[in-house]
Amino acid sequence: MQSTIQFYNFGKGFGWINNPSAKSNDIYFHISNVSGELKELFAANKFYDEPITFQLNTSKLKADQEEAVNIKLDLSKRAVGYVQEFSNGYGWVEDF
């Protein structure tokens, strides 16, 4: 599934992902289920509005609830490129 993170509590290590199906409430996740480049964005507090992918599993805490696992940054939805030229604090980024 694909979505974005709605809320994260740094003190407790959990948060909510916007439910892309909109059939039910937002989806619970724990920081231990975050991996890859997204973990670095959490460390820098730059994860909001970033596209993510994840899978759903039955919650370990509540049997009637699902939780997100294998949460990763969706690199196919991000603009990716390289710095072509940089001078005096300004530069050009070339798309791949």
Side-chain angles (χ1 to χ4, degrees), residues 2-93:
Q2 298 176 336
S3 189
T4 57
I5 294 171
Q6 177 186 14
F7 168 78
Y8 179 69
N9 184 321
F10 280 94
K12 296 186 179 183
F14 75 89
W16 301 98
I17 295 173
N18 291 317
N19 191 339
S21 66
K23 293 179 183 175
S24 62
N25 295 336
D26 296 323
I27 302 164
Y28 169 84
F29 77 95
H30 190 267
I31 190 66
S32 63
N33 293 320
V34 174
S35 62
E37 297 88 354
L38 186 57
K39 202 157 208 140
E40 294 175 18
L41 292 178
F42 268 86
N45 197 12
K46 302 286 185 187
F47 55 88
Y48 289 109
D49 297 325
E50 290 291 343
I52 59 169
T53 61
F54 61 94
Q55 298 168 340
L56 290 177
N57 274 358
T58 303
S59 175
K60 297 172 189 171
L61 301 174
K62 295 183 180 179
D64 61 334
Q65 190 177 23
E66 292 183 315
E67 71 176 288
V69 296
N70 197 21
I71 306 165
K72 298 179 181 176
L73 191 60
D74 187 358
L75 295 176
S76 68
K77 303 286 183 194
R78 293 186 91 210
V80 180
Y82 63 94
V83 176
Q84 181 181 25
E85 180 182 335
F86 187 79
S87 177
N88 297 324
Y90 297 95
W92 297 97
V93 176

Side-chain angles (χ1 to χ4, degrees), residues 80-82 94-96:
V80 180
Y82 63 94
E94 182 78 24
D95 288 337
F96 284 119

